[in-house]
Amino acid sequence: MKTISRPTKYQLKDIALFVTWGKISNEYFGKSSSWLYNKLNGVDGNGGIGEFNEEEKLKLKDALYDLADRIKSSADRIE
């Protein structure tokens, strides 16, 4: 029996409203915001299946880790 995975958007639901996905798409992937929104929803630009490939998943993880580090650094600077 094949396991159905949830779209990446569901896996990121805890932070989805706090992140500017368009900026992440542009800065880390060099792509449009619609490209990333489609990927997060598990579709391609034509309405078919378009989940992240393994390389894109790693890049998204690295982007989120980088953002987390930048947030922590900003918090540490508050006096």
Side-chain angles (χ1 to χ4, degrees):
M1 183 169 165
K2 185 176 179 180
T3 304
I4 299 173
S5 64
R6 295 181 184 250
T8 304
K9 179 174 85 171
Y10 180 81
Q11 297 170 31
L12 299 173
K13 68 181 179 168
D14 290 346
I15 64 167
L17 296 177
F18 299 101
V19 175
T20 305
W21 297 107
K23 284 197 100 49
I24 288 177
S25 182
N26 190 291
E27 185 172 328
Y28 294 96
F29 290 93
K31 305 275 186 173
S32 68
S33 59
S34 61
W35 175 86
L36 185 59
Y37 286 116
N38 283 332
K39 289 287 190 169
L40 288 170
N41 287 308
V43 298
D44 66 16
N46 299 317
I49 297 173
E51 181 66 37
F52 290 96
N53 64 35
E54 291 304 313
E55 182 181 338
E56 292 165 341
K57 286 180 186 178
L58 289 175
K59 192 177 276 195
L60 180 58
K61 280 184 176 185
D62 287 344
L64 293 174
Y65 285 136
D66 181 55
L67 187 56
D69 289 343
R70 291 163 63 183
I71 290 170
K72 283 186 76 172
S73 292
S74 293
D76 289 343
R77 287 192 294 271
I78 295 174
E79 297 178 3

